[in-house]
Amino acid sequence: MRVSRLMLVTLRDDPAQAEIPSHKLLLRAGYIRRVASGIYAYLPLLWRVLQKVSAIVREEMDATGALETLLPQLQPADLWQRSGRWAGYTAGEGIMFHLKDRQGHELGLGPTHEEVITDLAADLLRSYRQLPVNLYQIQTKFRDEIRPRFGLMRGREFIMKDAYSFHSDEASLRDTYAAMDGAYRRIFRRCGLRAVAVEADSGAIGGSASQEFMVTADAGEDLILTSADGCYAANQERAVSLPTPPVELPGGLRTGGAGELLATPGQTSIEQLVGAHGFEASQLVKVLLLLARFQDGYLQPLLISLRGDQQLNGVKLANAVSARLAGDHGVLLGIDPLSFELVAALNRSEGRSIDLSAFPLGYLGPDLDDGLLSGSRPSLGVEGREVRAGSSGVAALPQPPRQQLSAKFLRLTDPTAAQLPAFVCGANQIDRHRVGASWQGLQLEPEVVDLRAAQPGDRCLHDSAQTLTAARGIEVGHIFQLGKKYSEALGARFTNESGEEEALWMGCYGIGVSRLAQAAVEQNHDGDGICWPVAIAPFEVIIVVASSQDPLQSELAERLYGHFQAEGLDVLLDDRPDRAGVKFKDADLIGIPYRLVVGRGAASGVVELVERATRQSQELTVDAALEAVVAAVRSGRSGLQVPGAAAG
Ligand code: ATP
Ligand code: MG
């Protein structure tokens, strides 16, 4: 390909819309253009990268015996209603784009394909003899992300490889999961990425194993915690650790009962209590008042007790709450602090008059009386909004589910708080705390659940001499043992060896193909531009003619160009009449791994070979240069290239 025909438009300055290096570079170097928020055009250069990534993904998936397929992006609501995910994905913070067709049937644009594939499996897979199977596709996904950002990292339309496997038993599922783990490691290594596998949150269904692959980079949205011995790595959403031991309350302050009242005027935070009374944060039990909202309109107030020096892990909390209530009330739509602001907003939007002043916020104790909920129930219990038919008499507003407030708090206590023999906590009255309270003294039997966020510096469970270190990661892949969640919901059953019917075991495996391409830039760039790993570079070598007016140089460049093409290399020829400096800058910016400069040395058959990543350069005879580039590119294509091999 000739640069003059490439429609290459590079930008000198960083575009204002881009925050992280890879996003800036992809825009500046002419790889992508923004069409709308989270929606990008993949320009020809990027499309070549995406196709190379896809080819590697295909090779590795095919090598495991997986079958490529292509499923529809328009998906009927009915399938998602049967799996129970329609409401969660379309209402509230749901991320599925959805629409109605001309017949009034509801459809969603595929954010993922468990429903479609499981329904197909129900139709096609009947016997254990057909199992296991693993189907994959590489396709555009749509997600109405709450915060699309960083270019291709979090788009609303992006390319994903997703695979779904079906099995007759759990052992077979584990085998395929392990095969996918191996394939993913090879894919990321071949793409030139430094990726780590971390334990991941498996969501509310629990139990099932799940692992994410993180490309380590400061721009990553995820926090990962790892131990130096390499034995433990987890997403912080999921991570566990040993908490620091608490500082015990001095003997004189331990009453063993409900505690002694202490005046704490205006002291509503841990810091204020610690500052005013010399407590240690680990001597306190803090109580968070939250409200969980469910699909069927059920509202569950939560009282969460944590040790004062610990932080809540929202993902663990959501899993715990879902596990207890989703069976009866459908999808957990969200958990928010039950604050004056939330109540005011509910009052405004729903025309209600909830009074939160009865709650001693800032002074809550774990034994807050359930009576407060019944007391405020008449104003909290909400009827569905009145429905008015449109003037045409056809379109009625959808009726929100009738809201119903639980009469009891769901009280969950983190082990760090539950294990305190005596503590300081709110007295459930304004300006008062209690000192020396115990769980027994408060007449509570705490329901203990791991809810605390593991922190960098925490000691590890597998070896208390190891501590956790934090790093930022970009999630490029996720593998998941789903179990029977979807097959049971969608009736995907098979006949097992003993002739009995049972639901299929399932796994699912995703790779963010477009996110991966940008992650490669995030890990492989310098001050001048991108340094593509050879295996996914849009072109492997670029020939720059220093002075295109010089017929000798042009001729030699054309000869090299033809030679590389004949050798099957992806070669770019910068034949533009621009100054050499401009062309060198562009070559650095777009990041082609090898650059051959045809300049004054052309007369004596000498060219300059520059390796982009290391900037090593050397003058070589034409033949030596040809040989060096072909050899370097061929070894680089395996994804295991050693920078400097050609120029060293
Ligand atoms: P995230 O936690 O980043 O939102 P996810 O857990 O929702 O991702 P999955 O449903 O596991 O993502 O999707 C599989 C892969 O698709 C992810 O590992 C990621 O690489 C990619 N991906 C997910 N959402 C996006 C997006 N909005 N833009 C680009 N890639 C994405
Ligand atoms: Mg994920």
Side-chain angles (χ1 to χ4, degrees):
M1 174 62 70
R2 292 165 193 275
V3 177
S4 58
R5 311 303 317 142
L6 194 59
M7 208 178 72
L8 181 69
V9 179
T10 56
L11 311 173
R12 196 125 52 92
D13 299 316
D14 284 336
Q17 25 159 327
E19 294 163 67
I20 61 171
S22 55
H23 187 195
K24 290 178 188 168
L25 286 171
L26 288 179
L27 284 166
R28 278 187 55 204
Y31 282 82
I32 55 173
R33 280 291 182 274
R34 180 182 179 278
V35 173
S37 166
I39 303 175
Y40 287 83
Y42 309 137
L43 300 181
L45 277 178
L46 186 80
W47 186 239
R48 293 181 69 97
V49 174
L50 293 173
Q51 287 192 307
K52 289 197 176 179
V53 173
S54 302
I56 292 173
V57 169
R58 261 190 198 102
E59 270 178 43
E60 295 295 342
M61 293 300 293
D62 292 348
T64 68
L67 300 167
E68 187 166 2
T69 185
L70 189 61
L71 303 171
Q73 286 154 310
L74 275 173
Q75 308 185 4
D78 155 63
L79 279 179
W80 286 71
Q81 273 148 359
R82 281 164 54 203
S83 72
R85 294 208 292 183
W86 179 257
Y89 267 77
T90 56
E93 294 181 349
I95 51 148
M96 182 151 62
F97 288 103
H98 52 108
L99 57 132
K100 272 196 184 134
D101 66 15
R102 62 180 73 240
Q103 268 103 35
H105 297 135
E106 279 197 292
L107 299 161
L109 276 178
T112 178
H113 280 75
E114 283 83 2
E115 279 76 359
V116 171
I117 195 106
T118 311
D119 192 48
L120 280 171
D123 186 17
L124 298 171
L125 299 175
R126 295 290 164 84
S127 156
Y128 72 94
R129 288 197 197 85
Q130 295 168 283
L131 302 172
V133 287
N134 190 6
L135 290 157
Y136 77 95
Q137 58 174 348
I138 298 175
Q139 182 203 53
T140 295
K141 294 280 188 278
F142 299 90
R143 294 186 182 181
D144 196 0
E145 297 278 357
I146 294 165
R147 217 174 298 115
R149 56 180 188 159
F150 300 159
L152 308 182
M153 292 289 190
R154 187 166 295 285
R156 295 198 296 162
E157 179 177 328
F158 59 96
I159 299 176
M160 193 200 286
K161 185 286 296 177
D162 48 332
Y164 306 87
S165 66
F166 297 91
H167 309 267
S168 56
D169 58 33
E170 195 171 8
S172 163
L173 166 58
R174 288 215 193 96
D175 286 347
T176 297
Y177 182 80
M180 288 295 106
D181 176 43
Y184 275 40
R185 287 170 200 263
R186 283 190 298 278
I187 288 168
F188 300 132
R189 202 172 50 232
R190 285 182 62 184
C191 290
L193 294 171
R194 294 175 294 285
V196 286
V198 303
E199 277 181 24
D201 173 52
S202 305
I205 52 174
S208 323
S210 147
Q211 189 173 274
E212 289 165 342
F213 292 84
M214 296 283 183
V215 166
T216 46
D218 291 341
E221 291 189 277
D222 285 275
L223 189 68
I224 56 183
L225 296 172
T226 53
S227 65
D229 65 1
C231 292
Y232 186 74
N235 191 318
Q236 197 198 22
E237 291 177 351
R238 148 95 189 186
V240 289
S241 64
L242 289 170
T244 49
V247 179
E248 284 199 11
L249 273 181
L253 294 179
R254 282 184 245 152
T255 69
E260 301 282 347
L261 278 184
L262 175 71
T264 51
Q267 296 157 18
T268 55
S269 71
I270 302 287
E271 294 70 37
Q272 286 167 326
L273 285 166
V274 165
H277 304 280
F279 297 130
E280 294 285 338
S282 65
Q283 296 169 333
L284 276 64
V285 167
K286 64 177 168 191
V287 177
L288 309 173
L289 177 59
L290 304 164
L291 183 70
R293 291 175 286 116
F294 285 86
Q295 187 181 355
D296 70 349
Y298 191 70
L299 299 171
Q300 175 62 63
L302 310 172
L303 273 186
I304 306 302
S305 298
L306 289 166
R307 205 171 76 190
D309 60 336
Q310 302 299 321
Q311 302 303 323
L312 177 67
N313 178 324
V315 174
K316 290 183 182 175
L317 176 65
N319 289 343
V321 171
S322 281
R324 283 162 180 74
L325 294 166
D328 289 336
H329 300 288
V331 180
L332 171 65
L333 297 180
I335 297 181
D336 308 289
L338 188 53
S339 61
F340 287 106
E341 290 77 15
L342 178 68
V343 164
L346 284 173
N347 282 344
R348 268 199 310 276
S349 68
E350 306 284 343
R352 291 185 262 156
S353 52
I354 302 170
D355 176 19
L356 200 66
S357 61
F359 291 82
L361 296 183
Y363 303 91
L364 299 175
D367 53 342
L368 188 68
D369 191 358
D370 283 327
L372 274 173
L373 296 175
S374 344
S376 50
R377 195 161 182 187
S379 45
L380 269 166
V382 189
E383 304 295 319
R385 200 185 315 151
E386 196 186 322
V387 177
R388 270 175 299 145
S391 53
S392 66
V394 184
L397 286 171
Q399 185 162 9
R402 186 190 163 89
Q403 296 197 320
Q404 187 208 345
L405 184 77
S406 163
K408 278 187 186 307
F409 291 110
L410 174 60
R411 296 164 205 261
L412 300 175
T413 304
D414 184 71
T416 52
Q419 284 156 9
L420 289 176
F423 48 85
V424 177
C425 66
N428 296 324
Q429 24 175 317
I430 298 292
D431 294 345
R432 294 285 185 280
H433 278 79
R434 285 167 294 183
V435 181
S438 71
W439 294 99
Q440 213 184 359
L442 296 177
Q443 298 182 339
L444 289 174
E445 220 176 281
E447 184 172 352
V448 183
V449 194
D450 173 30
L451 295 173
R452 61 181 273 276
Q455 304 282 0
D458 284 356
R459 291 165 305 140
C460 298
L461 287 177
H462 74 277
D463 174 359
S464 59
Q466 294 283 325
T467 53
L468 293 176
T469 316
R472 306 235 45 112
I474 301 164
E475 181 196 321
V476 287
H478 195 168
I479 58 175
F480 207 124
Q481 292 180 26
L482 285 172
K484 298 184 165 189
K485 179 182 154 99
Y486 294 94
S487 53
E488 271 168 0
L490 292 155
R493 307 173 69 75
F494 72 104
T495 309
N496 66 22
E497 249 173 297
S498 350
E500 289 149 8
E501 276 230 324
E502 62 172 299
L504 289 157
W505 290 86
M506 273 182 77
C508 72
Y509 320 93
I511 290 182
V513 170
S514 46
R515 181 186 283 185
L516 183 160
Q518 187 172 328
V521 176
E522 198 60 40
Q523 265 191 348
N524 300 285
H525 70 271
D526 61 19
D528 294 325
I530 301 169
C531 310
W532 286 111
V534 174
I536 60 170
F539 291 94
E540 295 158 329
V541 52
I542 180 168
I543 301 163
V544 179
V545 192
S547 160
S548 359
Q549 284 79 17
D550 181 338
L552 208 72
Q553 291 183 20
S554 298
E555 241 165 68
L556 177 55
E558 290 289 345
R559 194 146 61 79
L560 289 165
Y561 183 52
H563 179 87
F564 285 134
Q565 282 184 322
E567 290 285 340
L569 266 56
D570 289 331
V571 53
L572 199 53
L573 171 64
D574 196 345
D575 56 342
R576 294 176 299 175
D578 297 304
R579 281 185 298 116
V582 171
K583 296 197 263 192
F584 293 159
K585 267 206 153 59
D586 275 350
D588 280 347
L589 183 61
I590 63 178
I592 307 307
Y594 297 102
R595 178 169 97 206
L596 264 191
V597 182
V598 182
R600 279 194 216 106
S604 46
V606 171
V607 291
E608 187 196 17
L609 171 59
V610 185
E611 187 176 50
R612 174 66 188 88
T614 59
R615 297 171 189 274
Q616 290 180 47
S617 84
Q618 56 182 331
E619 307 250 301
L620 293 172
T621 63
V622 170
D623 285 347
L626 285 172
E627 205 177 311
V629 170
V630 171
V633 165
R634 293 220 168 114
S635 91
R637 282 177 180 171
S638 68
L640 307 168
Q641 77 269 26
V642 184

